[in-house]
Amino acid sequence: MQDIAEQLQAWHAAGRAFAVATVVGVSGSAPRDPGAALAVDADGEAVGSVSGGCVEGAVYELCQAAIESGEPVLERFGYSDEDAFAVGLTCGGVLDVFVQPVVPGADTGLDTGIAHIAAGTPVALVRVIAGPGGLVGATLAVTADGVTGALSVGPSTVGALERAIVAEARAMLDAGRTGRIVLGLDGRPCDEHEQGTVTCFVESYVPAPRMLVFGAIDFAAAVVRIGRFLGYHVTVCDARPVFATARRFPEADEVVVDWPHRYLDSQLGRIDGRTVLCVLTHDAKFDIPLLERALRLPVGYVGAMGSRRTHRDRLTKLREAGLTGAELARLRSPIGLDLGARTPEETAVSVAAEIIAHRRGGSCLPLSAGDGPIHHDVSPAAEGDRETAAAQSRPSRTHAA
Protein backbone atom coordinates (compact mmCIF):
# COMPACT_ATOMS: atom_id res chain seq x y z
CA MET A 1 0.00 0.00 0.00
CA GLN A 2 2.99 2.29 0.52
CA ASP A 3 3.51 2.52 -3.25
CA ILE A 4 0.00 3.93 -3.74
CA ALA A 5 -0.35 5.80 -0.43
CA GLU A 6 -0.15 9.24 -2.03
CA GLN A 7 -3.14 8.50 -4.29
CA LEU A 8 -5.09 6.91 -1.45
CA GLN A 9 -4.50 9.98 0.71
CA ALA A 10 -5.68 12.22 -2.15
CA TRP A 11 -8.90 10.20 -2.54
CA HIS A 12 -9.36 10.18 1.20
CA ALA A 13 -8.86 13.95 1.51
CA ALA A 14 -11.40 14.48 -1.27
CA GLY A 15 -13.96 12.31 0.55
CA ARG A 16 -14.06 9.74 -2.26
CA ALA A 17 -14.98 6.15 -1.39
CA PHE A 18 -12.63 3.46 -2.64
CA ALA A 19 -11.62 -0.14 -2.05
CA VAL A 20 -8.15 -1.56 -1.43
CA ALA A 21 -7.25 -5.10 -2.46
CA THR A 22 -4.18 -6.37 -0.64
CA VAL A 23 -2.19 -9.57 -1.11
CA VAL A 24 -2.33 -11.19 2.33
CA GLY A 25 -0.94 -14.63 1.55
CA VAL A 26 1.03 -16.39 -1.19
CA SER A 27 2.26 -19.88 -1.92
CA GLY A 28 3.96 -21.43 -4.90
CA SER A 29 5.17 -19.21 -7.71
CA ALA A 30 2.97 -16.21 -6.93
CA PRO A 31 4.00 -13.00 -8.73
CA ARG A 32 3.72 -10.46 -5.86
CA ASP A 33 4.64 -10.53 -2.18
CA PRO A 34 2.21 -9.99 0.71
CA GLY A 35 1.41 -6.30 1.01
CA ALA A 36 1.12 -5.64 -2.73
CA ALA A 37 -2.04 -3.60 -3.29
CA LEU A 38 -4.51 -2.47 -5.93
CA ALA A 39 -7.02 0.28 -5.18
CA VAL A 40 -10.12 1.33 -7.11
CA ASP A 41 -12.19 4.44 -6.41
CA ALA A 42 -15.92 4.94 -6.88
CA ASP A 43 -15.34 6.41 -10.35
CA GLY A 44 -13.45 3.32 -11.50
CA GLU A 45 -9.92 4.77 -11.39
CA ALA A 46 -7.34 2.14 -10.42
CA VAL A 47 -3.82 2.35 -9.01
CA GLY A 48 -1.36 -0.36 -7.99
CA SER A 49 -1.19 -4.06 -8.74
CA VAL A 50 -1.64 -7.36 -6.92
CA SER A 51 -0.45 -9.86 -9.51
CA GLY A 52 1.38 -8.18 -12.35
CA GLY A 53 -1.58 -8.90 -14.64
CA CYS A 54 -2.72 -12.45 -13.85
CA VAL A 55 -5.85 -11.60 -11.88
CA GLU A 56 -6.06 -7.81 -12.06
CA GLY A 57 -9.39 -7.80 -13.89
CA ALA A 58 -11.09 -10.04 -11.36
CA VAL A 59 -9.70 -8.08 -8.41
CA TYR A 60 -10.82 -4.82 -10.03
CA GLU A 61 -14.37 -6.21 -10.15
CA LEU A 62 -14.14 -7.32 -6.52
CA CYS A 63 -13.13 -3.79 -5.53
CA GLN A 64 -16.11 -2.33 -7.37
CA ALA A 65 -18.43 -4.82 -5.69
CA ALA A 66 -16.96 -4.01 -2.26
CA ILE A 67 -17.52 -0.28 -2.79
CA GLU A 68 -21.16 -0.99 -3.64
CA SER A 69 -21.84 -3.48 -0.85
CA GLY A 70 -19.63 -1.96 1.85
CA GLU A 71 -18.51 -5.48 2.80
CA PRO A 72 -14.91 -6.78 2.90
CA VAL A 73 -14.07 -10.10 1.26
CA LEU A 74 -11.15 -12.54 1.35
CA GLU A 75 -10.63 -14.19 -2.03
CA ARG A 76 -8.26 -16.93 -3.14
CA PHE A 77 -6.87 -17.24 -6.65
CA GLY A 78 -5.14 -20.41 -7.82
CA TYR A 79 -4.40 -22.70 -10.73
CA SER A 80 -6.56 -25.50 -12.10
CA ASP A 81 -5.72 -27.64 -15.11
CA GLU A 82 -9.44 -28.35 -15.55
CA ASP A 83 -10.23 -24.80 -16.64
CA ALA A 84 -7.25 -23.07 -18.20
CA PHE A 85 -9.35 -20.12 -19.34
CA ALA A 86 -10.80 -19.13 -15.98
CA VAL A 87 -9.37 -16.32 -13.88
CA GLY A 88 -6.22 -17.49 -12.11
CA LEU A 89 -2.47 -17.73 -11.81
CA THR A 90 -1.00 -19.58 -14.74
CA CYS A 91 2.36 -19.59 -12.96
CA GLY A 92 0.96 -22.25 -10.60
CA GLY A 93 0.84 -20.19 -7.41
CA VAL A 94 -1.90 -19.39 -4.95
CA LEU A 95 -2.73 -15.81 -4.02
CA ASP A 96 -4.96 -14.68 -1.13
CA VAL A 97 -6.38 -11.18 -1.61
CA PHE A 98 -8.31 -9.19 1.00
CA VAL A 99 -10.58 -6.52 -0.43
CA GLN A 100 -11.66 -3.77 1.96
CA PRO A 101 -14.01 -0.87 1.18
CA VAL A 102 -12.96 2.51 2.56
CA VAL A 103 -15.31 5.35 3.34
CA PRO A 104 -13.37 8.40 4.58
CA GLY A 105 -14.25 9.18 8.19
CA ALA A 106 -15.96 5.85 8.86
CA ASP A 107 -13.00 3.96 10.36
CA THR A 108 -10.52 5.88 12.51
CA GLY A 109 -7.97 3.08 12.42
CA LEU A 110 -7.94 2.98 8.64
CA ASP A 111 -8.07 6.78 8.34
CA THR A 112 -5.08 7.15 10.66
CA GLY A 113 -3.17 4.30 9.04
CA ILE A 114 -3.48 5.79 5.56
CA ALA A 115 -2.39 9.21 6.87
CA HIS A 116 0.66 7.70 8.62
CA ILE A 117 1.67 5.71 5.53
CA ALA A 118 1.36 8.75 3.27
CA ALA A 119 3.38 10.86 5.72
CA GLY A 120 6.12 8.25 6.10
CA THR A 121 5.41 7.74 9.81
CA PRO A 122 6.34 4.22 11.00
CA VAL A 123 3.09 2.33 11.56
CA ALA A 124 1.75 -1.21 11.60
CA LEU A 125 -1.63 -1.38 9.87
CA VAL A 126 -3.57 -4.32 11.29
CA ARG A 127 -6.66 -5.66 9.55
CA VAL A 128 -8.81 -8.59 10.62
CA ILE A 129 -9.16 -10.72 7.48
CA ALA A 130 -10.84 -13.82 8.94
CA GLY A 131 -12.78 -14.67 12.09
CA PRO A 132 -16.18 -13.94 13.59
CA GLY A 133 -18.17 -11.92 11.08
CA GLY A 134 -18.42 -8.83 13.22
CA LEU A 135 -14.64 -8.53 13.46
CA VAL A 136 -13.69 -9.00 9.81
CA GLY A 137 -12.55 -5.67 8.39
CA ALA A 138 -11.73 -4.12 11.76
CA THR A 139 -8.55 -2.03 11.51
CA LEU A 140 -5.96 -0.84 14.01
CA ALA A 141 -3.15 1.63 13.32
CA VAL A 142 -0.33 0.73 15.73
CA THR A 143 2.68 2.99 16.27
CA ALA A 144 5.56 2.68 18.71
CA ASP A 145 3.61 4.56 21.37
CA GLY A 146 -0.05 4.58 20.38
CA VAL A 147 -3.03 2.77 18.87
CA THR A 148 -5.91 4.14 16.83
CA GLY A 149 -9.04 2.14 16.08
CA ALA A 150 -10.69 -0.68 17.96
CA LEU A 151 -12.22 -4.11 17.63
CA SER A 152 -15.76 -2.83 17.83
CA VAL A 153 -17.73 -6.02 18.39
CA GLY A 154 -17.23 -9.49 19.81
CA PRO A 155 -17.28 -11.45 23.05
CA SER A 156 -16.12 -10.22 26.43
CA THR A 157 -12.59 -11.42 25.64
CA VAL A 158 -12.21 -8.90 22.82
CA GLY A 159 -10.14 -6.62 25.10
CA ALA A 160 -7.57 -9.37 25.66
CA LEU A 161 -7.58 -10.12 21.93
CA GLU A 162 -6.97 -6.48 21.05
CA ARG A 163 -4.12 -6.18 23.53
CA ALA A 164 -2.49 -9.30 22.10
CA ILE A 165 -2.89 -8.05 18.54
CA VAL A 166 -1.32 -4.70 19.43
CA ALA A 167 1.63 -6.41 21.15
CA GLU A 168 2.24 -8.69 18.16
CA ALA A 169 1.89 -5.81 15.69
CA ARG A 170 4.30 -3.61 17.63
CA ALA A 171 6.90 -6.40 17.63
CA MET A 172 6.47 -6.80 13.86
CA LEU A 173 6.80 -3.05 13.40
CA ASP A 174 10.06 -3.08 15.34
CA ALA A 175 11.37 -5.77 12.99
CA GLY A 176 9.91 -4.19 9.84
CA ARG A 177 7.95 -7.39 9.12
CA THR A 178 4.69 -7.87 7.24
CA GLY A 179 2.58 -11.02 7.59
CA ARG A 180 -0.30 -12.84 9.26
CA ILE A 181 -0.93 -13.49 12.93
CA VAL A 182 -3.51 -15.98 14.19
CA LEU A 183 -4.92 -15.67 17.70
CA GLY A 184 -7.74 -17.15 19.72
CA LEU A 185 -10.51 -14.86 20.94
CA ASP A 186 -8.71 -14.80 24.30
CA GLY A 187 -5.53 -13.52 22.65
CA ARG A 188 -3.49 -16.72 22.75
CA PRO A 189 -1.44 -17.70 19.67
CA CYS A 190 -3.18 -20.39 17.60
CA ASP A 191 -2.74 -22.54 14.56
CA GLU A 192 -4.49 -21.15 11.48
CA HIS A 193 -6.61 -24.28 11.15
CA GLU A 194 -8.03 -24.18 14.69
CA GLN A 195 -11.66 -23.28 15.23
CA GLY A 196 -12.66 -20.00 16.84
CA THR A 197 -9.60 -18.01 15.77
CA VAL A 198 -9.00 -14.53 14.41
CA THR A 199 -6.55 -13.98 11.54
CA CYS A 200 -5.00 -10.55 11.13
CA PHE A 201 -2.81 -9.22 8.37
CA VAL A 202 -0.15 -6.84 9.67
CA GLU A 203 1.58 -4.46 7.27
CA SER A 204 4.62 -2.74 8.74
CA TYR A 205 5.50 0.59 7.18
CA VAL A 206 8.97 1.69 8.20
CA PRO A 207 11.59 3.95 6.63
CA ALA A 208 13.33 2.53 3.57
CA PRO A 209 16.27 0.24 4.36
CA ARG A 210 19.65 1.94 4.19
CA MET A 211 22.53 1.35 1.82
CA LEU A 212 25.81 2.92 2.95
CA VAL A 213 28.30 3.22 0.09
CA PHE A 214 31.83 3.98 1.27
CA GLY A 215 34.21 5.30 -1.37
CA ALA A 216 33.24 8.04 -3.83
CA ILE A 217 34.59 6.31 -6.93
CA ASP A 218 33.09 5.75 -10.39
CA PHE A 219 31.77 2.32 -9.39
CA ALA A 220 29.97 3.95 -6.48
CA ALA A 221 27.79 6.06 -8.79
CA ALA A 222 26.45 2.92 -10.47
CA VAL A 223 25.88 1.19 -7.12
CA VAL A 224 23.98 4.26 -5.91
CA ARG A 225 21.68 4.12 -8.92
CA ILE A 226 20.85 0.46 -8.52
CA GLY A 227 20.48 0.85 -4.76
CA ARG A 228 17.85 3.53 -5.31
CA PHE A 229 16.17 1.27 -7.89
CA LEU A 230 15.93 -1.49 -5.25
CA GLY A 231 14.28 0.90 -2.80
CA TYR A 232 17.20 1.72 -0.50
CA HIS A 233 17.89 5.08 1.09
CA VAL A 234 21.45 5.51 -0.21
CA THR A 235 24.26 7.40 1.48
CA VAL A 236 27.71 7.94 -0.05
CA CYS A 237 30.54 8.58 2.40
CA ASP A 238 34.17 9.45 1.69
CA ALA A 239 36.78 11.38 3.65
CA ARG A 240 37.95 13.20 0.50
CA PRO A 241 35.82 16.31 -0.14
CA VAL A 242 37.00 16.66 -3.73
CA PHE A 243 35.31 13.34 -4.58
CA ALA A 244 32.34 13.26 -2.17
CA THR A 245 30.11 15.86 -3.82
CA ALA A 246 26.40 15.96 -4.59
CA ARG A 247 27.25 16.88 -8.17
CA ARG A 248 29.09 13.58 -8.67
CA PHE A 249 26.31 11.59 -7.00
CA PRO A 250 23.04 13.34 -7.86
CA GLU A 251 20.97 10.21 -7.23
CA ALA A 252 22.26 9.63 -3.68
CA ASP A 253 19.95 10.60 -0.85
CA GLU A 254 22.95 11.86 1.13
CA VAL A 255 26.61 12.58 0.39
CA VAL A 256 28.77 12.79 3.51
CA VAL A 257 32.36 13.95 3.86
CA ASP A 258 33.82 12.07 6.81
CA TRP A 259 36.11 9.20 7.67
CA PRO A 260 34.07 6.06 7.01
CA HIS A 261 34.52 4.48 10.45
CA ARG A 262 33.68 7.76 12.19
CA TYR A 263 30.52 8.19 10.12
CA LEU A 264 29.48 4.60 10.85
CA ASP A 265 29.94 5.22 14.57
CA SER A 266 27.56 8.19 14.28
CA GLN A 267 24.85 6.06 12.64
CA LEU A 268 24.42 3.27 15.19
CA GLY A 269 20.89 4.39 16.01
CA ARG A 270 19.85 4.40 12.34
CA ILE A 271 21.06 1.01 11.14
CA ASP A 272 19.42 -2.38 11.55
CA GLY A 273 19.27 -5.86 10.07
CA ARG A 274 18.09 -4.48 6.73
CA THR A 275 21.10 -2.16 6.33
CA VAL A 276 23.69 -3.01 3.67
CA LEU A 277 27.26 -1.69 3.55
CA CYS A 278 29.23 -1.54 0.31
CA VAL A 279 32.89 -0.74 0.93
CA LEU A 280 34.37 0.32 -2.40
CA THR A 281 37.50 2.27 -1.44
CA HIS A 282 39.90 -0.74 -1.36
CA ASP A 283 42.28 1.43 0.64
CA ALA A 284 43.42 -0.09 3.94
CA LYS A 285 43.56 3.18 5.86
CA PHE A 286 39.83 3.61 5.22
CA ASP A 287 38.70 -0.01 5.01
CA ILE A 288 40.24 -1.65 8.08
CA PRO A 289 38.85 0.70 10.78
CA LEU A 290 35.48 0.62 9.01
CA LEU A 291 35.27 -3.15 8.59
CA GLU A 292 36.51 -3.75 12.13
CA ARG A 293 33.32 -2.01 13.32
CA ALA A 294 30.94 -3.09 10.57
CA LEU A 295 31.52 -6.83 10.97
CA ARG A 296 30.55 -6.57 14.64
CA LEU A 297 27.24 -4.81 13.94
CA PRO A 298 23.87 -6.51 13.32
CA VAL A 299 23.60 -5.27 9.72
CA GLY A 300 22.26 -7.35 6.85
CA TYR A 301 25.21 -7.31 4.46
CA VAL A 302 28.83 -6.16 4.37
CA GLY A 303 30.69 -6.33 1.06
CA ALA A 304 34.11 -4.94 0.14
CA MET A 305 35.66 -4.32 -3.27
CA GLY A 306 39.18 -5.35 -4.17
CA SER A 307 41.30 -8.08 -5.67
CA ARG A 308 41.76 -11.47 -4.03
CA ARG A 309 45.19 -10.33 -2.87
CA THR A 310 43.63 -7.24 -1.32
CA HIS A 311 41.07 -9.48 0.36
CA ARG A 312 43.77 -11.72 1.87
CA ASP A 313 45.66 -8.69 3.15
CA ARG A 314 42.43 -7.32 4.67
CA LEU A 315 41.72 -10.57 6.46
CA THR A 316 45.21 -10.60 7.95
CA LYS A 317 44.85 -7.05 9.25
CA LEU A 318 41.35 -7.71 10.59
CA ARG A 319 42.54 -10.82 12.45
CA GLU A 320 45.32 -8.72 13.96
CA ALA A 321 42.61 -6.27 15.04
CA GLY A 322 40.95 -9.08 16.98
CA LEU A 323 38.05 -10.14 14.76
CA THR A 324 36.93 -13.74 15.13
CA GLY A 325 36.47 -16.28 12.39
CA ALA A 326 32.70 -15.97 12.64
CA GLU A 327 32.89 -12.20 12.26
CA LEU A 328 35.24 -12.45 9.27
CA ALA A 329 32.91 -14.98 7.63
CA ARG A 330 30.29 -12.25 7.32
CA LEU A 331 32.47 -10.28 4.91
CA ARG A 332 31.52 -10.62 1.22
CA SER A 333 34.79 -9.98 -0.53
CA PRO A 334 35.54 -9.58 -3.37
CA ILE A 335 32.12 -7.97 -3.50
CA GLY A 336 29.45 -9.19 -5.91
CA LEU A 337 28.58 -12.32 -7.86
CA ASP A 338 30.74 -13.68 -10.66
CA LEU A 339 28.87 -12.33 -13.68
CA GLY A 340 31.98 -11.49 -15.66
CA ALA A 341 31.25 -7.82 -15.00
CA ARG A 342 33.66 -5.23 -16.37
CA THR A 343 31.97 -1.83 -16.41
CA PRO A 344 30.77 0.08 -13.32
CA GLU A 345 27.18 -0.63 -14.33
CA GLU A 346 27.78 -4.36 -14.74
CA THR A 347 29.64 -4.42 -11.43
CA ALA A 348 26.70 -2.69 -9.75
CA VAL A 349 24.39 -5.41 -11.09
CA SER A 350 26.67 -8.10 -9.63
CA VAL A 351 26.69 -6.34 -6.25
CA ALA A 352 22.92 -5.93 -6.26
CA ALA A 353 22.47 -9.57 -7.24
CA GLU A 354 24.59 -10.71 -4.31
CA ILE A 355 22.67 -8.48 -1.89
CA ILE A 356 19.34 -9.91 -3.10
CA ALA A 357 20.59 -13.51 -2.99
CA HIS A 358 21.97 -13.02 0.52
CA ARG A 359 18.72 -11.46 1.72
CA ARG A 360 16.41 -14.00 0.08
CA GLY A 361 18.50 -17.16 0.35
CA GLY A 362 19.02 -17.59 -3.37
CA SER A 363 21.46 -20.18 -4.74
CA CYS A 364 22.95 -17.78 -7.34
CA LEU A 365 22.51 -20.48 -9.99
CA PRO A 366 20.53 -19.93 -13.22
CA LEU A 367 16.87 -20.78 -12.68
CA SER A 368 17.08 -22.96 -15.78
CA ALA A 369 19.70 -25.12 -14.06
CA GLY A 370 17.25 -26.67 -11.60
CA ASP A 371 13.62 -27.47 -10.92
CA GLY A 372 13.38 -26.37 -7.26
CA PRO A 373 11.51 -23.43 -5.76
CA ILE A 374 11.90 -20.08 -7.50
CA HIS A 375 11.16 -18.14 -4.31
CA HIS A 376 13.58 -19.13 -1.55
CA ASP A 377 12.11 -17.03 1.25
CA VAL A 378 8.96 -19.14 1.62
CA SER A 379 8.64 -22.51 3.28
CA PRO A 380 8.91 -25.69 1.17
CA ALA A 381 5.40 -26.60 2.24
CA ALA A 382 4.14 -23.32 0.86
CA GLU A 383 5.84 -23.96 -2.47
CA GLY A 384 4.44 -27.41 -3.17
CA ASP A 385 3.80 -28.58 -6.68
CA ARG A 386 1.12 -27.42 -9.05
CA GLU A 387 -1.30 -30.18 -8.09
CA THR A 388 -0.98 -29.37 -4.38
CA ALA A 389 -1.47 -25.68 -5.06
CA ALA A 390 -4.55 -26.42 -7.10
CA ALA A 391 -6.00 -28.58 -4.35
CA GLN A 392 -5.36 -25.89 -1.78
CA SER A 393 -6.92 -23.21 -3.94
CA ARG A 394 -10.54 -24.37 -3.69
CA PRO A 395 -12.13 -23.11 -0.50
CA SER A 396 -15.69 -21.76 -0.51
CA ARG A 397 -14.77 -18.62 -2.49
CA THR A 398 -12.15 -19.49 -5.11
CA HIS A 399 -11.25 -18.50 -8.64
CA ALA A 400 -9.21 -21.08 -10.51
CA ALA A 401 -7.49 -21.22 -13.84
Side-chain angles (χ1 to χ4, degrees), residues 360-379:
R360 300 296 191 184
S363 68
C364 302
L365 296 174
L367 290 174
S368 60
D371 57 4
I374 292 176
H375 302 293
H376 288 261
D377 54 344
V378 294
S379 67

Side-chain angles (χ1 to χ4, degrees), residues 183-348:
L183 302 171
L185 292 174
D186 59 357
R188 63 183 176 83
C190 292
D191 183 86
E192 195 165 5
H193 301 293
E194 291 185 37
Q195 296 295 319
T197 61
V198 174
T199 302
C200 299
F201 184 68
V202 181
E203 297 172 83
S204 293
Y205 296 96
V206 293
R210 299 191 68 194
M211 173 182 283
L212 306 182
V213 179
F214 295 98
I217 63 174
D218 51 354
F219 287 92
V223 172
V224 167
R225 288 195 293 273
I226 205 163
R228 286 290 303 275
F229 177 74
L230 292 176
Y232 286 94
H233 179 283
V234 183
T235 300
V236 176
C237 176
D238 197 300
R240 301 164 294 183
V242 67
F243 296 119
T245 66
R247 185 171 183 175
R248 294 190 69 221
F249 300 98
E251 296 181 68
D253 294 287
E254 299 173 292
V255 179
V256 176
V257 178
D258 202 349
W259 278 79
H261 70 279
R262 189 164 60 193
Y263 176 71
L264 184 62
D265 287 344
S266 74
Q267 299 299 298
L268 298 183
R270 296 182 59 201
I271 60 178
D272 56 27
R274 303 178 302 149
T275 303
V276 303
L277 276 64
C278 299
V279 182
L280 309 182
T281 47
H282 49 87
D283 184 330
K285 69 176 177 290
F286 296 121
D287 293 356
I288 300 306
L290 172 62
L291 291 172
E292 182 183 348
R293 290 161 171 77
L295 295 173
R296 288 169 169 159
L297 293 175
V299 296
Y301 172 92
V302 182
M305 180 174 279
S307 66
R308 298 194 185 281
R309 178 177 178 178
T310 298
H311 173 61
R312 289 192 294 269
D313 290 344
R314 270 199 206 108
L315 291 181
T316 298
K317 290 181 172 66
L318 289 170
R319 288 191 190 96
E320 292 171 353
L323 270 73
T324 66
E327 290 166 340
L328 293 174
R330 298 182 59 213
L331 177 60
R332 300 287 177 142
S333 176
I335 195 171
L337 299 185
D338 181 8
L339 305 182
R342 304 291 292 182
T343 68
E345 290 74 18
E346 291 173 347
T347 301

Side-chain angles (χ1 to χ4, degrees), residues 13-33:
R16 294 166 67 177
F18 56 94
V20 180
T22 306
V23 176
V24 297
V26 300
S27 63
S29 188
R32 299 295 303 275
D33 289 333

